[in-house]
Amino acid sequence: MPATNSRAELNEWGRHETEEERADRKWGELIQEVRVAQTGVQILFGFLLTVVFQQKYASLGSTDKTIYIVTVVLGAAATGALIGPVSLHRLVAGRRVKPQAVEWASRMTFVGLALLLATMTSSLLLILRVATHNGAVPWIVTGVVAWYALCWYGVPLWTRHRHTE
């Protein structure tokens, strides 16, 4: 007997929803996730943009200025990737491509989170270098990045592996 799109049947995801309903649900979940990341990246990026106008910037060494420039570029890229899903949705709304839009928005969000991790890493490196001039800074930054990686990727991947069949 052929499968139908009846809402009364469980689909492969264990829910009573059509492909369009699933896309709507996934879109809503994704946008909620993106809102959290967007807020953080926008605040961080806004702060980064002001650093170059501070008096102390002129006294930074070339290495610290390079770290700053890399950090700003990473912040700009992260901001673009995390705002991208909103633009994607706006440009394809009503075109009956929501499942594909959700997939692409999810990819942009994942890239945006990776870029946000890189931005936070380089920001922390710059701030600790300027604030402490301590040889332990790379170790501290490595520890914090490991923590981010555990929270953002390790625990979610472990949970997915442990609790999905």
Side-chain angles (χ1 to χ4, degrees), residues 59-72:
S59 67
L60 292 179
S62 64
T63 300
D64 291 333
K65 286 182 179 178
T66 300
I67 293 170
Y68 172 74
I69 291 166
V70 168
T71 303
V72 168

Side-chain angles (χ1 to χ4, degrees):
M1 180 173 206
T4 64
N5 261 350
S6 168
R7 294 191 67 191
E9 294 180 25
L10 280 177
N11 61 23
E12 64 185 282
W13 304 286
R15 294 178 178 258
H16 297 284
E17 58 188 7
T18 65
E19 183 180 7
E20 292 80 18
E21 289 169 331
R22 180 172 187 259
D24 288 340
R25 177 181 53 80
K26 287 182 77 174
W27 182 259
E29 292 171 356
L30 180 65
I31 286 303
Q32 287 301 99
E33 294 164 1
V34 168
R35 282 186 182 131
V36 172
Q38 278 178 348
T39 302
V41 76
Q42 288 171 336
I43 291 169
L44 178 58
F45 187 56
F47 168 75
L48 287 170
L49 292 176
T50 67
V51 170
V52 74
F53 300 106
Q54 302 300 314
Q55 234 176 345
K56 184 155 181 140
Y57 182 80
S59 67
L60 292 179
S62 64
T63 300
D64 291 333
K65 286 182 179 178
T66 300
I67 293 170
Y68 172 74
I69 291 166
V70 168
T71 303
V72 168
V73 170
L74 287 168
T79 301
L82 290 170
I83 293 175
V86 175
S87 177
L88 173 69
H89 182 263
R90 195 55 11 234
L91 290 172
V92 303
R95 307 266 178 176
R96 299 185 185 274
V97 294
K98 187 165 271 181
Q100 295 83 2
V102 169
E103 183 64 34
W104 278 102
S106 180
R107 290 175 183 167
M108 280 192 272
T109 302
F110 188 82
V111 168
L113 290 173
L115 289 166
L116 178 57
L117 175 62
T119 305
M120 292 176 71
T121 300
S122 58
S123 297
L124 184 61
L125 177 63
L126 178 62
I127 290 167
L128 292 178
R129 280 176 54 93
V130 171
T132 69
H133 305 289
N134 189 319
V137 166
W139 295 105
I140 295 168
V141 172
T142 300
V144 172
V145 170
W147 176 249
Y148 288 159
L150 177 67
C151 293
W152 293 9
Y153 302 105
V155 171
L157 289 171
W158 176 82
T159 303
R160 184 172 79 176
H161 173 74
R162 177 100 162 87
H163 298 288
T164 53
E165 296 176 16

